Amino acid sequence: MQTAVTIHAVRVQVAAWRKHGERVVFVPTMGNLHAGHVSLLEAAKQHGERFVASIFVNPMQFGPNEDFNHYPRTPQRDTGMLAAAGCDLMFTPDVAEMYPNGADLAARVEVPGISEILCGKFRPGHFQGVATVVAKLFNIVTPDVAIFGEKDFQQLVVIRRMTADLCLPVRIVGAPTVRESDGLAMSSRNQYLTAEERRIAPIIYRELTRARDALLAGARDFARLDALGARALEAAGFTVDYFCVRDRLTLDAPRPGAHELVILAAARLGRARLIDNIQL
Ligand code: PAF
């Protein structure tokens, strides 16, 4: 596996592959890799011949009181995992390489509407930071295909819309959420959980599953399902940001007869803010 820390080095390598007609598949990450990230690289193999992963903890997508400084950084371990997963090129820029004038003064990409609901309501500016860094990474790597985890479902919808609206020549592919054996969705932020919180955390998935089963059995009172899920999480000790059934494509409140649905939850447990979803 090659490594690059500059935009120039990535462009030189990708141009060489393109000359040979090789398709480039890109997996953007913030590092601290786990089996969920490895599954993205596995998914990448169905879509091309060359695989690029980036590791960049993007300051623009963290709010002033969020965990940018404490976000787990494990570069050595990540390098080994990417090499073992068959990655061809690992791009690890520093903040100055990505934001030479500083993140605060950098041009931004805004995807209105979808960025302000759900997680956007609780993390103002977050999706602007995500859309901006992903657009920049796409311009640097120029991938044919980019893979994103479905665990960050709203992020995936924002990126799909940004890519379509800006006519970026990249195909966006979502890959299924990887879970621990008790159902907890894998996330770097699970490390923030104490032993007691870790025991409680899978209740998010349990409640999503319960709502999914109710919908599959014909329940259509979405507001009731939202309230039941939120109440169960609060009773287990979570502080709930939202628990709701939404249209799978738009993330709007679903029309009464809708079948393309996703149930999304975000809830805080101690230091950790956990998000998860189930699609129907
Ligand atoms: O999902 C993530 O890890 C990040 O939001 C991403 C897509 C790498 C952008 O920083």
Side-chain angles (χ1 to χ4, degrees), residues 210-260:
R210 205 193 294 275
R212 190 236 1 239
D213 292 348
L215 288 166
L216 288 175
R220 277 298 174 272
D221 185 346
F222 301 131
R224 182 160 179 277
L225 292 176
D226 295 356
L228 282 175
R231 211 176 304 147
L233 293 184
E234 293 280 355
F238 291 87
T239 303
V240 178
D241 284 352
Y242 59 82
F243 184 103
C244 55
V245 182
R246 291 287 167 110
D247 180 286
R248 191 148 58 91
L249 297 179
T250 62
L251 299 189
D252 290 335
R255 281 173 293 103
H259 287 285
E260 305 249 293

Side-chain angles (χ1 to χ4, degrees), residues 60-162:
M60 199 190 274
Q61 71 188 72
F62 289 79
N65 299 318
E66 293 186 351
D67 54 345
F68 174 71
N69 287 327
H70 301 112
Y71 194 85
R73 289 158 170 90
T74 49
Q76 267 182 351
R77 191 164 162 275
D78 293 349
T79 307
M81 285 177 77
L82 287 179
C87 179
D88 292 299
L89 174 63
M90 176 178 79
F91 178 42
T92 55
D94 63 14
V95 173
E97 182 72 4
M98 290 299 283
Y99 298 113
N101 300 311
D104 289 346
L105 295 179
R108 283 156 193 257
V109 177
E110 178 77 51
V111 187
I114 187 85
S115 297
E116 283 104 49
I117 60 172
L118 300 169
C119 281
K121 214 152 124 187
F122 297 89
R123 305 186 66 191
H126 169 68
F127 289 115
Q128 188 191 58
V130 170
T132 302
V133 81
V134 171
K136 286 169 75 80
L137 289 166
F138 283 179
N139 283 333
I140 295 163
V141 177
T142 63
D144 296 277
V145 175
I147 317 278
F148 293 85
E150 288 174 347
K151 179 186 156 275
D152 298 303
F153 196 81
Q154 186 175 8
Q155 168 172 284
L156 180 58
V157 176
V158 168
I159 289 166
R160 282 193 199 285
R161 190 164 302 170
M162 186 246 330

Side-chain angles (χ1 to χ4, degrees), residues 17 60 98 130 147 186 188 191 199 203 207 216:
W17 289 333
M60 199 190 274
M98 290 299 283
V130 170
I147 317 278
M186 286 196 185
S188 302
Q191 292 168 43
R199 196 183 58 73
I203 294 177
E207 288 307 316
L216 288 175

Side-chain angles (χ1 to χ4, degrees), residues 153-222:
F153 196 81
Q154 186 175 8
Q155 168 172 284
L156 180 58
V157 176
V158 168
I159 289 166
R160 282 193 199 285
R161 190 164 302 170
M162 186 246 330
T163 305
D165 286 355
L166 298 182
C167 310
L168 302 179
V170 186
R171 190 153 67 82
I172 307 299
V173 172
T177 302
V178 177
R179 300 184 180 281
E180 305 286 358
S181 56
D182 58 8
L184 179 65
M186 286 196 185
S187 164
S188 302
R189 290 189 167 105
N190 292 349
Q191 292 168 43
Y192 298 155
L193 298 166
T194 63
E196 175 58 8
E197 289 160 356
R198 175 64 189 81
R199 196 183 58 73
I200 295 168
I203 294 177
I204 292 203
Y205 183 59
R206 190 190 76 191
E207 288 307 316
L208 288 168
T209 307
R210 205 193 294 275
R212 190 236 1 239
D213 292 348
L215 288 166
L216 288 175
R220 277 298 174 272
D221 185 346
F222 301 131

